[in-house]
């Protein structure tokens, strides 16, 4: 960890400006002149190549660690995207893994979290329905579903993710974000002490993997549950179990006795078209503010263009709260009255 921290400090210091000076307000990135934008064209690899005083092994270790941010090799991830994670985490690599990886939602994980939100919701709901088209005029927005149903409202908040939005809002986001990685949950036969591994994109289909827990049934440990993440398009076919298992053994854990695995094909899911958002060089300075702007009566709220924890649930909450506040203010200024259902 010491080697990583030392390299990180040098990596995130450019032209005598430290990471704190380059990105002083990671939750409000354009505040204070945004010196980071000057380096937004750089990839993680560009920056590593220009860095002296570190061995190739140290640089390789650092690159594979940063690759975990977007399931991608260093040339695909923006330097400023890595800087954002580092700044959000208190300017330390230990902080990154503590904040992004250590804490879990107990008693049912994301499913219980989603159910808790649903439990508080009092509005109308339509499930299993795709939005095909959004039309608007100066006083109303009309949402057309795949079944031809029309839903009208004064304002609409779209949470459609960046990569799925391309066909609707093409101009700002033709590039999308870069994360086309695969997440695979494994059940290993043997109960193992905790571990964490990263691997190099030149010879590994997996970018990283870690043991998650040793079972949740009773007091006796019952094998190891672990999670592996593939490099962008490194594990293209989630049903190719031989490849997924063989590569896990070759790239991450040679002796693993794999009893089962489960995965979801986020890359080919038409409603996500990728993993958590991670942006390539030149994107944040060009697109972030544009993506956050409303288009007439349609507001856009997605973790994919959050200011702070972009690509995280916290980013979705940040954007959702912001959009809700904006809609309330717009309705109040327009009608003077507000009768919320929520
Ligand atoms: C494999 C993986 C691992 C992750 N791990 C973490 C983690 O450990 N911690 C963390 O904080 N975040 C993690 N994330 C990221 C996190 O899940 C997302 O950032 C967050 O869920 C985004 O929330 P959102 O509301 O912006 O979008 P979403 O949760 O993507 O919600 C958008 C909704 O819009 C729907 N939709 C899309 N298109 C249409 C359409 N045309 N019509 C109707 N509905 C549509 C989608 O089905 C979806 O339900 C992970 C993501 C992935 C894929």
């Amino acid at each position: 960890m010491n080697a990583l921290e030392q390299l990180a400090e040098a990596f995130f210091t450019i032209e005598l400006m430290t990471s704190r000076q380059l990105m002083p307000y990671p939750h409000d990135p354009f505040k204070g002149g945004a010196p980071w934008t000057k380096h937004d064209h750089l990839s993680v690899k560009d920056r590593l190549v220009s860095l002296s005083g570190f061995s190739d092994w140290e640089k390789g270790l650092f690159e594979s660690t940063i690759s975990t941010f977007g399931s991608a090799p260093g040339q695909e991830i923006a330097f400023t995207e890595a800087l954002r994670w580092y700044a959000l985490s208190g300017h330390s690599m230990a902080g990154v893994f503590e904040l992004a990886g250590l804490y879990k939602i107990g008693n049912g994980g994301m499913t219980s979290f989603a159910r808790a939100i649903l439990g508080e919701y009092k509005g109308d709901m339509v499930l299993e329905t795709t939005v095909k088209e959004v039309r608007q005029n100066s006083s109303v927005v009309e949402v057309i579903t795949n079944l031809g149903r029309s839903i009208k409202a004064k304002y609409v908040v779209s949470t459609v993710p960046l990569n799925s939005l391309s066909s609707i809002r093409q101009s700002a986001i033709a590039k999308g974000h870069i994360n086309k990685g695969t997440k695979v949950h494994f059940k290993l036969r043997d109960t193992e002490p905790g571990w964490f591994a990263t691997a190099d994109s030149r010879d590994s289909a997996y970018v990283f993997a870690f043991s998650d827990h040793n079972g949740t049934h009773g007091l006796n440990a019952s094998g190891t549950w672990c999670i592996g993440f593939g490099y962008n398009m490194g594990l293209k076919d989630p049903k190719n179990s031989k490849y997924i298992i063989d590569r896990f053994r070759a790239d991450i854990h040679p002796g693993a006795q794999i009893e089962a695995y489960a995965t979801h094909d986020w890359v080919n899911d038409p409603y996500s078209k990728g993993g958590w958002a991670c942006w390539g060089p030149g994107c944040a300075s060009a697109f972030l503010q544009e993506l956050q702007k409303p288009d007439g009566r349609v507001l856009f709220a997605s973790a994919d263009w959050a200011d702070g924890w972009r690509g995280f649930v916290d980013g979705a909450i940040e954007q959702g709260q912001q959009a809700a506040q904006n809609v309330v203010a717009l309705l109040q200024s327009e009608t003077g009255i507000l009768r919320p259902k929520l």
Side-chain angles (χ1 to χ4, degrees):
M1 205 67 207
N2 228 2
L4 271 185
E5 296 292 7
Q6 278 170 13
L7 203 152
E9 200 177 327
F11 177 87
F12 291 118
T13 300
I14 299 194
E15 295 172 2
L16 300 179
M17 290 189 85
T18 65
S19 61
R20 284 186 166 77
Q21 292 165 320
L22 286 172
M23 193 174 275
Y25 305 105
H27 285 284
D28 194 357
F30 289 95
K31 184 176 167 183
W36 59 270
T37 53
K38 184 178 171 197
H39 308 290
D40 194 32
H41 64 285
L42 290 177
S43 69
V44 165
K45 190 73 174 183
D46 295 334
R47 176 66 191 129
L48 267 178
V49 168
S50 69
L51 201 62
S52 54
F54 295 92
S55 68
D56 286 348
W57 184 87
E58 287 168 321
K59 288 186 181 185
L61 174 68
F62 185 78
E63 183 180 347
S64 69
T65 306
I66 297 289
S67 292
T68 68
F69 296 5
S71 317
Q75 64 268 24
E76 292 178 32
I77 300 180
F79 165 76
T80 56
E81 198 68 342
L83 174 65
R84 180 174 60 87
W85 282 51
Y86 186 70
L88 286 165
S89 307
H91 303 266
S92 94
M93 292 303 286
V96 167
F97 286 98
E98 186 177 340
L99 296 195
L102 195 63
Y103 301 109
K104 297 178 81 73
I105 299 174
N107 299 326
M110 286 305 292
T111 306
S112 66
F113 181 57
R115 283 189 197 285
I117 294 173
L118 199 59
E120 288 178 8
Y121 180 69
K122 298 190 191 75
D124 298 321
M125 229 182 327
V126 182
L127 298 173
E128 304 287 332
T129 305
T130 304
V131 173
K132 279 292 189 208
E133 199 183 337
V134 179
R135 301 177 193 149
Q136 60 176 313
N137 60 31
S138 58
S139 56
V140 74
V141 191
E142 183 179 14
V143 172
I144 316 286
T145 73
N146 54 335
L147 301 173
R149 184 173 169 193
S150 154
I151 301 168
K152 289 186 178 159
K154 279 192 180 298
Y155 289 94
V156 161
V157 177
S158 165
T159 68
V160 173
L162 180 57
N163 286 5
S164 289
L165 199 58
S166 305
S167 58
I168 304 173
R169 230 188 166 197
Q170 283 167 1
S171 57
I173 46 168
K175 273 184 118 164
H177 70 74
I178 56 143
N179 191 345
K180 298 283 171 72
T182 306
K183 177 179 181 181
V184 189
H185 296 259
F186 290 100
K187 165 70 175 28
L188 309 185
R189 188 193 63 192
D190 299 329
T191 304
E192 301 170 355
W195 53 265
F196 179 94
T198 63
D200 192 313
S201 63
R202 282 168 299 187
D203 53 19
S204 173
Y206 284 85
V207 52
F208 75 123
F210 54 88
S211 62
D212 200 20
H213 60 88
N214 288 340
T216 51
H217 302 289
L219 291 175
N220 296 329
S222 50
T224 299
W225 274 260
C226 67
I227 308 176
F229 296 83
Y231 270 105
N232 273 348
M233 308 309 283
L235 303 168
K236 272 188 234 156
D237 181 1
K239 292 188 179 138
N240 188 344
S241 51
K242 180 167 168 25
Y243 190 75
I244 285 186
I245 290 171
D246 285 355
R247 293 302 310 221
F248 183 78
R249 288 209 186 101
D251 301 339
I252 298 286
H253 195 325
Q257 295 294 322
I258 297 167
E259 291 185 338
Y261 78 81
T263 184
H264 176 79
D265 191 0
W266 293 106
V267 177
N268 292 309
D269 182 327
Y271 305 112
S272 57
K273 294 188 180 166
W276 63 94
C278 180
W279 290 12
C283 291
S285 49
F287 298 147
L288 183 61
Q289 288 173 308
E290 190 59 37
L291 287 168
Q292 293 174 346
K293 284 182 191 159
D295 178 355
R297 292 179 165 271
V298 182
L299 291 85
F300 296 90
S302 166
D304 293 3
W305 50 84
D307 279 330
W309 288 103
R310 189 154 60 249
F312 288 83
V313 172
D314 292 63
I317 294 169
E318 172 210 295
Q319 284 292 297
Q321 278 180 337
Q322 188 64 57
Q325 282 169 14
N326 290 347
V327 170
V328 167
L330 286 163
L331 285 172
Q332 274 170 340
S333 70
E334 203 170 294
T335 61
I337 47 163
L338 185 64
R339 286 189 298 275
K341 271 187 165 180
L342 303 179

